[in-house]
Amino acid sequence: MRYAAITGCGMAVPDRVLTNAELEKMVDTNDEWIVSRTGIRERRVAGPADSTTSLSVKAARAALAHAGLTPDDIQLIVVATCTPDQFIVSEACLVQAELGGSAAAFDVGAACSGFVYALTVGSMFVQQGLYDRVLVIGADTLTRFIDYTDRSTCILFGDGAGAMVIEASDQPRGLLSTVMGADGGGNKHLYAPGWGAIVPESAELFPEIRPYMQMNGQEVFRFAVRVMGDAAAEAVQKAGLSFDDIDMLIPHQANSRIIDAAARRLALPREKVLVNLDRYGNTSAASVPIALAEASGQGKLNEGDNLVLVAFGAGLAWAAGVVRWGVAGVPRPELAARRGAGVLAAISDGD
Ligand SMILES: CC(C)(COP(=O)(O)OP(=O)(O)OC[C@H]1O[C@@H](n2cnc3c(N)ncnc32)[C@H](O)[C@@H]1OP(=O)(O)O)[C@@H](O)C(=O)NCCC(=O)NCCS
């Protein structure tokens, strides 16, 4: 059997911090409401010098350093994003141009679920034997499409990128199971109109179609609570594990009440649930890999740990997977030595 171990991870967020106190001056909201309804205290917002590409490249370099590899070692780059810097060409090609190397490169579009979709795609290439080393990135700069006069959405989102290197292993490491799903009929609950190739029905309508995120928060909330718990539970079962075997839940960081519901469904205590949305808000496709990179950088993950990744978002789409952490079975003895030397704790790139 060939498996696809995660051998490196990294993250990057913009420097600019947008606090709840600042939002109070922009829209009719308050810190108490935002924290009690969402758990978010601050988020990072891309400045003029930041882009989906620049954040992706920083996260990718951190992941490669963690794995002890260079861009020339990578054979495929998959980027999950719904906010590429350009539509033509792919975000993955823009990232490859900055990184160097000659890896094949393409994007996966599944909004906030995108990273788990992309990890599945990248892992399949490794498991099937087509490639030995793949770079998977989740990156978004959604704040470029947020209306900062709309209090129902502007409090939620932040920007960032997370990256992982996956490599062939002969031991059960990396993604052990995946559950993916979509309800395209629910697209109207979370979307950004006027941001694509479609021609508006009438030129007069065009000015009314704003390229801003539109959201029916309550519908998305109900959907998220249902699919996060169900998908995570199904992924655990598909991996042949029980809830007791799970060492950590790494959920999409959208809302602490949604995360709590998913944790309850898996009967996981609070200390086994990774939450960092208080500092980053909802970073879309970047949220799961940022959380994972932080957990790794803080030394919270151990060889052989079973992690559940789960995400939901626009589509409406969702995805969950069980990942077994560690580098056992990767034919690079120096990798285990690097872990032993404490490289594990040096990956986070929060610049
Ligand atoms: C958006 C969300 C936080 C709103 O929380 P909620 O408890 O559902 O709140 P409601 O929409 O019912 O609004 C309750 C009241 O708060 C008000 N309100 C909405 N946003 C507010 C804000 N930022 N500050 C203060 N009040 C706000 C509403 O206008 C409403 O007032 P009303 O009762 O006078 O009509 C919540 O629905 C949510 O997180 N949904 C999921 C969104 C999500 O995760 N999207 C991304 C998916 S990847």
Side-chain angles (χ1 to χ4, degrees), residues 199-281:
V199 176
E201 275 173 42
S202 136
E204 292 82 61
L205 278 180
F206 196 62
E208 291 172 22
I209 303 175
R210 298 182 307 164
Y212 291 137
M213 179 82 81
Q214 312 287 318
M215 185 180 76
N216 180 339
Q218 290 183 1
E219 278 294 337
V220 175
F221 190 94
R222 273 193 290 275
F223 152 78
V225 166
R226 179 170 51 81
V227 298
M228 288 267 276
D230 286 353
E234 196 183 336
V236 173
Q237 190 215 341
K238 271 179 84 172
L241 301 175
S242 74
F243 296 166
D244 287 343
D245 299 319
I246 301 307
D247 297 291
M248 194 169 289
L249 173 67
I250 302 187
H252 175 44
Q253 306 286 314
N255 183 311
S256 52
R257 291 183 291 147
I258 295 172
I259 292 175
D260 288 346
R264 275 197 301 277
R265 177 80 164 74
L266 297 186
L268 288 180
R270 199 82 179 106
E271 62 272 15
K272 285 192 173 186
V273 183
L274 207 134
V275 177
N276 65 7
L277 56 70
D278 51 322
R279 287 174 291 124
Y280 300 127

Side-chain angles (χ1 to χ4, degrees), residues 22-344:
E22 286 174 89
L23 284 166
E24 283 179 13
K25 296 181 194 134
M26 297 159 73
V27 287
D28 180 13
T29 190
N30 58 79
D31 178 62
E32 195 280 328
W33 193 97
I34 300 173
V35 173
S36 63
R37 301 283 177 129
T38 71
I40 300 167
R41 293 180 187 279
E42 59 186 43
R43 64 291 287 144
R44 300 298 184 96
V45 176
D50 298 311
S51 64
T52 300
T53 307
S54 72
L55 294 167
S56 297
V57 167
K58 276 190 187 176
R61 288 197 176 123
L64 287 165
H66 186 212
L69 296 177
T70 71
D72 286 330
D73 298 317
I74 297 298
Q75 297 160 311
L76 170 67
I77 300 172
V78 185
V79 179
T81 187
C82 61
T83 53
D85 288 338
Q86 293 174 212
F87 284 106
I88 302 170
V89 301
S90 73
E91 186 55 50
C93 281
L94 296 176
V95 170
Q96 191 238 47
E98 293 279 321
L99 279 181
S102 57
F106 64 87
D107 293 354
V108 164
C112 297
S113 313
F115 183 79
V116 184
Y117 271 74
L119 183 66
T120 303
V121 171
S123 298
M124 285 175 66
F125 276 99
V126 173
Q127 289 158 354
Q128 296 298 317
L130 270 86
Y131 296 119
D132 292 326
R133 290 170 183 165
V134 173
L135 178 64
V136 182
I137 298 171
D140 271 309
T141 47
L142 265 184
T143 66
R144 306 271 203 228
F145 300 92
I146 295 300
D147 175 1
Y148 280 97
T149 66
D150 174 6
R151 69 178 181 174
S152 68
T153 52
C154 74
I155 58 160
L156 297 175
F157 297 97
D159 302 322
M164 284 179 210
V165 176
I166 52 182
E167 292 185 67
S169 164
D170 61 10
Q171 297 293 314
R173 291 293 180 273
L175 201 63
L176 302 184
S177 69
T178 308
V179 172
M180 299 189 296
D183 169 15
N187 73 79
K188 57 187 176 294
H189 299 312
L190 183 57
Y191 68 106
W195 177 23
I198 195 163
V199 176
E201 275 173 42
S202 136
E204 292 82 61
L205 278 180
F206 196 62
E208 291 172 22
I209 303 175
R210 298 182 307 164
Y212 291 137
M213 179 82 81
Q214 312 287 318
M215 185 180 76
N216 180 339
Q218 290 183 1
E219 278 294 337
V220 175
F221 190 94
R222 273 193 290 275
F223 152 78
V225 166
R226 179 170 51 81
V227 298
M228 288 267 276
D230 286 353
E234 196 183 336
V236 173
Q237 190 215 341
K238 271 179 84 172
L241 301 175
S242 74
F243 296 166
D244 287 343
D245 299 319
I246 301 307
D247 297 291
M248 194 169 289
L249 173 67
I250 302 187
H252 175 44
Q253 306 286 314
N255 183 311
S256 52
R257 291 183 291 147
I258 295 172
I259 292 175
D260 288 346
R264 275 197 301 277
R265 177 80 164 74
L266 297 186
L268 288 180
R270 199 82 179 106
E271 62 272 15
K272 285 192 173 186
V273 183
L274 207 134
V275 177
N276 65 7
L277 56 70
D278 51 322
R279 287 174 291 124
Y280 300 127
N282 180 344
T283 57
S284 187
S287 97
V288 167
I290 285 178
L292 205 144
E294 276 206 337
S296 169
Q298 293 161 359
K300 289 182 180 166
L301 307 181
N302 301 303
E303 181 75 40
D305 276 359
N306 293 313
L307 318 176
V308 175
L309 316 185
V310 59
F312 70 92
L316 298 168
W318 62 92
V322 171
V323 163
R324 185 162 297 156
W325 189 250
V327 298
V330 178
R332 284 203 293 135
E334 75 278 13
L335 198 54
R338 288 172 64 77
R339 295 292 187 273
V343 178
L344 189 68

